[in-house]
Amino acid sequence: MIETIKTYLKEQRDQHIEELMQFLRIPSISAVAEHQPDIIRCAEWTAQSLKQAGLENIEIMATGGHPVIYADWLHAPGKPTVLVYGHYDVQPAEPLELWNTPPFEPVIQDGKLFGRGSTDDKGQLLLYAKVIEAFLRTHGSLPVNVKLCIEGEEEIASKNLPAFVEKYKDKLQADTIVLSDTQMQGPGKPALMYGLRGLAGFEITVDGANSDLHSGLFGGAVQNPIHALSKLLSSFHDANGRVAVEGFYDRVIELSDKEREAFKQVEPDENKVRSDLHVETLYGENGFSFYEQTTSRPTLEITSVSGGFQGEGIKPIIPNRASAKIACRLVAAQVPEEIMDSVENHIRALSLPGVKVTLDRQLRGNPFITPIDEPVMVAAAEAYEDTYGAWPVYTRSGGSIPIVEVLGRVLDAPVVLLGFGLPGENLHAPNEHFHLVNWDKGTETISRFWLKLAAMKE
């Protein structure tokens, strides 16, 4: 069956790439209000593309912001149901002067398709429509049941999708969730990203007297909020870089030996990292490598500090307020609210006389993980190997994609991040592009993955 699918995709390749270029010509920039008509036009184009592929029950569904496109094909009784997630919105193209070609006039050069959205995420998303088309045109059916949930707000943090998923969780219910919006390790080197860190962001404000005070008249007798804040901030870590907040590590799932071995395949050269960053030494928790620290360990980072006079020269005052912004990166199975509770308890336990300390909770995102020995992950790895001739490396991201965790948690299904992008494809930057060799291998990998999922139910 796979050879028939590959033959069809090869025969239709020129037409499919032309359709992708049509998709890329629509400037569906979700962050800019003047592009709202383009967002609607792109949603309609996406829906029409899914209809052309042979999907059914296609809906453009309203949210509190940009619409979500839903479609399905549910005629494989006894077979698993796969929910495909993707997004049709793109980042702004500025600065335009740094593009070698116009961002919304896609061109192919040296086997690469240039245009905003080519790798993030229109190129990777359209792979699924073409795989569906190939199966239905050649065999009249799909090996699995398929649902699609395609949003228009990923580039603005998926503001309305969590509520949408909660509201329509029965409609979206699936055995497996898959998305292609990530990168491989390198050319011909597939990667399965199985973990993302979560986020807890908050601002700490320290208030002292009711106004700034003359440091000569009041210095030494009235608490300085910057002094108090400095004491507080220095208490968050011990001498070895470990977070010193009680309970901070309670829920952390430690790496298995298998994971630590897998990490060695992607571990960067720490000497090169140090050299590239122009720092004499790296710093962090004892007993963990650079890659482990930046992907599988939680952090508490002070991202900014402010207080007092910031202009030229020195203004000799005791400021009446100081503040700091904190971003905690979290790992499975930490909970943002619990982490912020622990920080607040830590603050209360400190002796900071003469000031009032408040904590404003602002950002929340749960971490995500799908175990690498989950059967669907094994099927995805085998599909990669059959296509690329190489078993994928297993990676975690130090960053956060909160909607991935939402989908997995609300729908209670494993999430597979089946990425086909490459490092250096300039997503979010000028001259974004997609290597078309991974268009061909992407459709093959997805086809093989679905066939393997179907075989698991036989």
Side-chain angles (χ1 to χ4, degrees):
M1 182 180 289
I2 189 65
E3 293 304 322
T4 306
I5 296 299
K6 288 170 62 178
T7 298
Y8 176 86
L9 290 167
K10 184 177 181 181
E11 292 172 348
Q12 300 297 317
R13 186 181 192 270
D14 290 346
Q15 176 60 33
H16 290 168
I17 297 300
E18 173 55 36
E19 291 176 30
L20 173 55
M21 294 174 80
Q22 293 174 18
F23 200 11
L24 296 177
R25 290 187 184 106
I26 305 173
S28 49
I29 302 169
S30 53
V32 181
E34 69 183 60
H35 284 282
Q36 178 65 19
D38 297 312
I39 285 285
I40 299 303
R41 182 160 61 98
C42 197
E44 293 171 346
W45 190 97
T46 305
Q48 181 59 37
S49 176
L50 300 181
K51 181 179 180 180
Q52 177 184 321
L55 285 155
E56 302 170 343
N57 303 311
I58 300 166
E59 300 177 67
I60 299 177
M61 304 178 69
T63 72
H66 304 323
V68 169
I69 298 102
Y70 173 85
D72 63 34
W73 187 94
L74 305 174
H75 303 293
K79 299 299 182 182
T81 298
V82 178
L83 175 68
V84 177
Y85 162 82
H87 64 94
Y88 62 87
D89 65 320
V90 300
Q91 283 281 335
E94 286 79 5
L96 298 178
E97 66 274 12
L98 297 183
W99 285 79
N100 296 329
T101 59
F104 296 104
E105 296 178 17
V107 297
I108 298 174
Q109 297 176 348
D110 300 323
K112 295 175 281 191
L113 177 57
F114 287 81
R116 174 57 89 225
S118 55
T119 190
D120 181 23
D121 175 48
K122 291 179 178 180
Q124 298 199 61
L125 170 61
L126 202 62
L127 294 171
Y128 290 90
K130 297 314 166 189
V131 168
I132 290 166
E133 176 188 312
F135 273 106
L136 293 179
R137 297 282 175 85
T138 60
H139 294 86
S141 64
L142 301 179
V144 293
N145 299 292
V146 174
K147 299 177 180 179
L148 290 94
C149 175
I150 304 170
E151 68 158 322
E153 296 186 335
E154 195 274 345
E155 301 294 5
I156 50 173
S158 301
K159 292 186 291 187
N160 291 286
L161 195 59
F164 180 92
V165 173
E166 290 278 4
K167 182 177 180 179
Y168 295 105
K169 62 183 178 181
D170 293 338
K171 187 184 190 75
L172 299 173
Q173 196 61 56
D175 299 295
T176 303
I177 302 159
V178 62
L179 62 115
S180 295
D181 195 11
T182 55
Q183 296 182 342
M184 306 200 308
Q185 187 67 13
K189 298 178 180 179
L192 273 173
M193 185 178 292
Y194 71 99
L196 299 163
R197 290 201 287 192
L199 180 65
F202 49 90
E203 184 169 8
I204 296 171
T205 302
V206 179
D207 286 303
N210 59 357
S211 68
D212 292 349
L213 301 174
H214 190 291
S215 64
L217 300 178
F218 293 94
V222 176
Q223 175 67 287
N224 185 321
I226 295 180
H227 294 180
L229 179 63
S230 299
K231 178 180 179 180
L232 170 59
L233 297 181
S234 67
S235 75
F236 282 147
H237 296 86
D238 66 17
N240 297 314
R242 184 177 172 86
V243 177
V245 174
E246 184 176 352
F248 190 83
Y249 294 95
D250 286 356
R251 285 185 177 267
V252 173
I253 299 174
E254 300 295 336
L255 287 171
S256 67
D257 291 341
K258 184 176 181 180
E259 287 177 298
R260 299 194 84 164
E261 283 300 313
F263 278 13
K264 291 178 182 178
Q265 298 183 51
V266 295
E267 185 76 51
D269 181 342
E270 294 190 8
N271 287 328
K272 186 177 186 305
V273 172
R274 180 178 50 77
S275 175
D276 290 346
L277 298 179
H278 293 182
V279 295
E280 292 186 1
T281 184
L282 299 177
Y283 175 80
E285 280 188 274
N286 290 336
F288 297 95
S289 69
F290 175 85
Y291 189 77
E292 289 170 345
Q293 289 171 343
T294 56
T295 62
S296 67
R297 299 297 295 171
T299 66
L300 186 155
E301 295 293 341
I302 302 161
T303 64
S304 74
V305 178
S306 62
F309 175 67
Q310 302 296 313
E312 184 178 355
I314 296 175
K315 184 179 182 181
I317 59 166
I318 300 170
N320 72 321
R321 169 172 286 188
S323 64
K325 296 180 181 180
I326 311 291
C328 298
R329 294 291 181 172
L330 311 180
V331 298
Q334 291 179 300
V335 180
E337 288 298 337
E338 291 182 0
I339 291 299
M340 290 189 279
D341 287 344
S342 296
V343 171
E344 201 149 15
N345 292 336
H346 178 89
I347 293 171
R348 291 197 193 101
L350 285 177
S351 176
L352 297 172
V355 293
K356 177 184 177 183
V357 183
T358 56
L359 187 147
D360 178 22
R361 307 180 184 204
Q362 298 179 5
L363 299 175
R364 301 165 178 83
N366 291 325
F368 149 81
I369 192 168
T370 297
I372 60 177
D373 55 0
E374 180 81 29
V376 295
M377 290 288 282
V378 175
E382 291 174 347
Y384 267 137
E385 184 182 42
D386 290 348
T387 301
Y388 286 90
W391 192 265
V393 296
Y394 294 102
T395 65
R396 291 198 193 190
S397 171
S400 307
I401 310 177
I403 196 58
V404 173
E405 185 278 333
V406 172
L407 288 166
R409 172 174 48 82
V410 174
L411 303 181
D412 191 24
V415 183
V416 179
L417 280 68
L418 203 67
F420 301 103
L422 284 178
E425 288 186 332
N426 290 7
L427 66 164
H428 293 202
N431 303 310
E432 178 181 351
H433 56 278
F434 185 47
H435 286 72
L436 291 179
V437 64
N438 289 321
W439 171 273
D440 302 320
K441 290 187 177 294
T443 52
E444 180 180 345
T445 303
I446 293 166
S447 302
R448 290 183 182 278
F449 179 46
W450 288 359
L451 289 169
K452 291 178 184 296
L453 291 181
M456 289 167 56
K457 287 284 187 171
E458 291 179 352

